[in-house]
Amino acid sequence: MKNFSEAVLPHLPSLRRFARGHCQDVDAADLLVLTTLKKLRARWLWMGHSNVRLSALSLMCGLVDGQLSATPSADHSENHGQKVIGPATALSKMAPFQRSSILLTSVERLSHREAAQVLDISEGELLRLLPQAREQLRLIVEAPFRQTLIKGHYLRRVK
């Protein structure tokens, strides 16, 4: 059996990437990874030969859900004067569960079964959730463009 460091070290880039998807601040993302690793280390002896990456991502999802539900949520309809919304900003405006489902399947390239295992839901529920999450992400990204189209009158006269 590998020791903890040997088992976790190959998965650190993936954990940091997933944490950065949830936290826009680099320091907050690193703190999330550190907290996850501490919790994983405490459970290390009882984990057996389970998948370390999936276990760490599952712990991180639990931490993110608890952390963000304890803090007041931001108003998702605010635009803050931005013309273009980047992927990190768009993801930050989504609910944590939707954000996790998109990050796990699209960024981390987990299978639907693995992503459902990490999120602790059934695979069918994940397949129902993903289109809703993608649609929500599309609406957030397109919101500034729709607002400029509504405000501007580009067509002056019709012949």
Side-chain angles (χ1 to χ4, degrees):
M1 184 174 179
K2 293 182 179 179
N3 68 15
F4 181 74
S5 299
E6 289 174 352
V8 170
L9 194 59
H11 305 293
L12 281 179
S14 174
L15 295 175
R16 289 196 73 216
R17 187 173 45 242
F18 186 71
R20 283 283 291 153
H22 279 287
C23 307
Q24 286 189 335
D25 183 26
V26 176
D27 294 332
D30 286 342
L31 184 61
L32 181 61
V33 171
L34 182 64
T35 306
T36 301
L37 291 176
K38 284 181 180 179
K39 286 186 174 283
L40 189 66
R41 176 72 174 152
R43 298 177 184 186
W44 179 248
L45 294 175
W46 292 276
M47 284 178 48
H49 295 286
S50 65
N51 191 332
V52 175
R53 180 179 180 209
L54 295 182
S55 299
L57 288 171
S58 182
L59 282 171
M60 194 175 295
C61 283
L63 289 171
V64 165
D65 288 341
Q67 176 187 14
L68 293 178
S69 64
T71 60
S73 61
D75 183 14
H76 299 300
S77 63
E78 291 180 21
N79 191 14
H80 299 295
Q82 294 176 329
K83 296 292 182 190
V84 178
I85 293 180
T89 306
L91 282 171
S92 71
K93 293 182 178 193
M94 296 181 72
F97 203 71
Q98 289 180 334
R99 185 181 324 133
S100 293
S101 66
I102 288 180
L103 288 172
L104 289 171
T105 55
S106 300
V107 177
E108 298 303 324
R109 298 284 186 203
L110 294 181
S111 69
H112 291 140
R113 180 178 296 131
E114 291 171 331
Q117 181 183 350
V118 167
L119 293 171
D120 197 24
I121 59 174
S122 68
E123 192 173 346
E125 190 175 345
L126 178 71
L127 291 174
R128 182 189 57 77
L129 175 72
L130 273 174
Q132 294 172 355
R134 289 181 181 132
E135 178 66 16
Q136 179 69 25
L137 183 61
R138 184 185 67 78
L139 290 174
I140 291 171
V141 170
E142 289 179 354
F145 299 114
R146 279 187 269 121
Q147 289 176 355
T148 57
L149 289 177
I150 293 170
K151 289 180 183 176
H153 298 285
Y154 299 106
L155 187 61
R156 294 285 181 205
R157 92 185 142 171
V158 178
K159 289 187 179 183

